[in-house]
Amino acid sequence: VKLYVPCDSAALAVGADAVAAALIDGCRQRGWPVQVVRNGSRGLFWIEPLVEVETAAGRVAYGPVTSADVPSLLDAGLLQGAPHVLCHGLTAQIPFLARQHRLTFARMGVTDPLSLADYEAHEGWAGLRRAASMAGAAIVQEVMDSGLRGRGGAAFPTGIKWKTVMAATAAAMTGPAAAQKYVVCNADEGDSGTFSDRMTMEGDPYMLIEGMAIAGLAVGATRGYVYIRAEYPHAVATMNEAIRRAGAAGWLGDDAAGSGRAFHLEVRKAAGAYVCGEETAMLESIEGKRGVVRAKPPVPALQGLFGQPTVINNVISLASVPLILARGAAFYRECGVGHSRGTLPFQLAGNIKQGGLIEVAFGVSLRELMFDFGGGSRSGRPIKAAQVGGPLGAYLPESQWDLPLDYEAYASVGAVLGHGGIVVHDDQTDMAKMARYAMAFCALESCGKCTPCRIGSTRGVEVLDRVAQGGQRGQQIELLRDLCETMTQGSLCAMGSMTPHPVLSALNHFPADFGLSTAAPD
Ligand code: SF4
């Protein structure tokens, strides 16, 4: 009998290792032969640790399981998939999962993350195999045709970025070493409430490796780096081991995937600063310098890592590529809306009953995600707002919960999808405090290179403190708006220019929390 217990950090944090040990021990004591597979997480975090047992009808799910539950579960017939108060029936039929459209996350929680055999048996390497026989330009065209846009937040068309790097020649460079190009994966997943990059690296690492190798073959890059945030030790360990195994199996190296072209890959542990998720600060960090934002131009596609042409993509962007190559661009662009093609793994967190990963096509609404998938607030109180797109994203009030989640629709209301993180707040949240938090976060994480962000964020905290104290409130609000305008227009990168998103959305939609009786003018 095969049992599955996730090795993902989210499951480990709630005792998955102890559950796995208790299952092995309990079965040994009873003389029952079992194989416990440590899979990735399905992303149903409210029922982690999720134990699955393989039956003739499919995998049956139990959760959340503690090690203390294990003896009674075994005695109740866990190995046969018998009913139990912790049983959710067939995993594939759990509504949270069954309603999703999993493309990138199709293998997540199904396979043993480090098993090359498992990966190959579930469509793994099919994209790289095809890419290995294609010219770089044809690979780039396929990615362009798919409509894939950067999933890290900027939503820049991935294929166009690749085309720029592919076409970059020594003429665009200053030195003789211009022939070297790089692929850098930005895995410095620092947005609040986000975890899709971490889940990918811990639960399906070969998918990212495959996507990076395809990118390398496409643009002519022979070296790649995965820049993983320091707070992800399990992801770092899994990626290092996966790279070692993929190299030993011939998928990486001097003749990557039998392509006759080289692609070498290594992990770089990040420096623990939010701003190092900004692509140029990340390059500085990989080069061994302090993570300070570079002015653009030149763009990294022409002068990136060590001054050479560099593809920089987020984990999910790169992880989406193998399927596009395996099944073709038309398959991928079939789903989605408008210019937002394919799927996005949304990450539902905060005050929510059923938090976790929800991969669906663009066009779903926030209301559907929070209620149909999330089941409403965890506190049972009315939901007041959701912050979408990380700490620099806007707070959306109920009047905006039916907007389709796509890049353009959100931009039209001054919001962003970002990396797909959604943090839910109930009616007890003070939005003025959240606005202050945004300014304080910016002050803490600013790299200090430009004045609007470095000084503006500190002044922003002070102004918001004066607003909270009352007295000359109108004047202070006016000052706050002026400051936000300066930060938006004058900051060098998104850290300073987007911090006004949470501040102004909180102010505009929840004026009462700022001591104002009516909605303040935009
Ligand atoms: Fe640095 Fe902030 Fe300026 Fe970005 S906006 S360059 S983080 S000081």
Side-chain angles (χ1 to χ4, degrees), residues 494-512:
M495 179 84 229
S497 68
M498 286 177 61
T499 291
H501 277 164
V503 175
L504 292 178
S505 58
L507 175 62
N508 292 337
H509 299 304
F510 306 97

Side-chain angles (χ1 to χ4, degrees), residues 119 126-128 207 210-211 214 318-327:
Y119 186 65
L128 179 55
M207 175 168 60
E210 186 179 353
I214 293 170
L318 289 160
S320 302
V321 167
L323 191 70
I324 291 169
L325 265 293
R327 297 202 199 168

Side-chain angles (χ1 to χ4, degrees), residues 201-217:
M201 292 184 286
E202 293 180 3
D204 200 4
Y206 296 126
M207 175 168 60
L208 176 57
I209 292 170
E210 186 179 353
M212 291 187 73
I214 293 170
L217 297 182

Side-chain angles (χ1 to χ4, degrees), residues 275 293 445-450 453-454 491-497:
V275 78
V293 173
E445 297 289 349
S446 169
C447 83
K449 182 151 181 168
C450 66
C453 169
R454 185 183 69 244
S491 296
L492 189 57
C493 82
M495 179 84 229
S497 68

Side-chain angles (χ1 to χ4, degrees), residues 276-290:
C276 286
E278 195 282 335
E279 60 180 9
T280 60
M282 175 183 68
L283 296 178
E284 292 283 300
S285 179
I286 296 175
E287 291 177 10
K289 303 172 198 157
R290 185 177 151 216

Side-chain angles (χ1 to χ4, degrees), residues 411-432:
S412 73
V413 298
V416 291
L417 282 195
H419 186 44
I422 297 166
V423 179
V424 179
H425 296 267
D426 76 6
D427 63 349
Q428 291 192 309
T429 301
D430 180 340
M431 299 308 291

